[in-house]
Structure formats: structure tokens, C-alpha cells
């Protein structure tokens, strides 16, 4: 089961332009559930496309 590639592309784009964006903000902007965003983030992390630097609350996303 693969996630929609275009959703992941949108997530990456938003993370690049807003490194401090939250999962909730991503979900609202992309009009999907937070669970969908969490699955997308897990997939992107597993593929080493993104990483979180800093803490959960004040950290930022690094897009590779």
C-alpha cells in the first residue's frame, strides 16, 4: 500500500517553505486528516527524505 505521491510532494513543498509547520497545520492546508499526515511523514522519514531537528514542539523539518 503506497501513499499518494502527490500528497507527499505537497508535504515536502510545505515543509521546505515552512520548516516549523506542524502536523495539524499540514492536515488543515492539505485538507486531509492528521492521521494521513502522520502516515505520510513516517513514509518520508523511512525513505530518508525528511528529518526532524530540534524537539517535537520547537523543532524544524529538514527536507533532503
Amino acid at each position: 500500500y503506497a501513499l499518494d505521491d502527490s500528497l507527499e510532494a505537497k508535504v515536502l513543498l510545505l515543509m521546505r517553505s515552512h520548516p516549523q509547520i506542524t502536523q495539524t497545520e499540514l492536515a488543515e492546508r492539505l485538507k486531509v486528516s492528521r492521521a494521513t499526515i502522520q502516515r505520510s511523514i513516517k513514509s518520508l522519514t523511512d525513505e530518508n527524505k525528511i528529518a526532524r531537528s530540534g524537539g517535537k514542539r520547537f523543532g524544524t523539518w529538514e527536507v533532503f
Side-chain angles (χ1 to χ4, degrees), residues 8-58:
E8 289 191 358
K10 290 175 189 171
V11 169
L12 288 172
L13 198 66
L14 282 168
M15 285 180 172
R16 253 191 212 108
S17 55
H18 307 286
Q20 292 167 319
I21 196 164
T22 65
Q23 290 181 0
T24 303
E25 288 171 329
L26 283 167
E28 288 170 0
R29 286 186 186 215
L30 299 175
K31 298 188 176 22
V32 295
S33 70
R34 191 154 165 252
T36 300
I37 293 296
Q38 288 172 326
R39 280 193 301 275
S40 184
I41 287 172
K42 180 172 182 354
S43 173
L44 289 166
T45 303
D46 291 348
E47 294 168 21
N48 292 319
K49 291 184 179 176
I50 61 170
R52 186 81 177 160
S53 64
K56 283 184 178 182
R57 187 160 178 199
F58 298 108

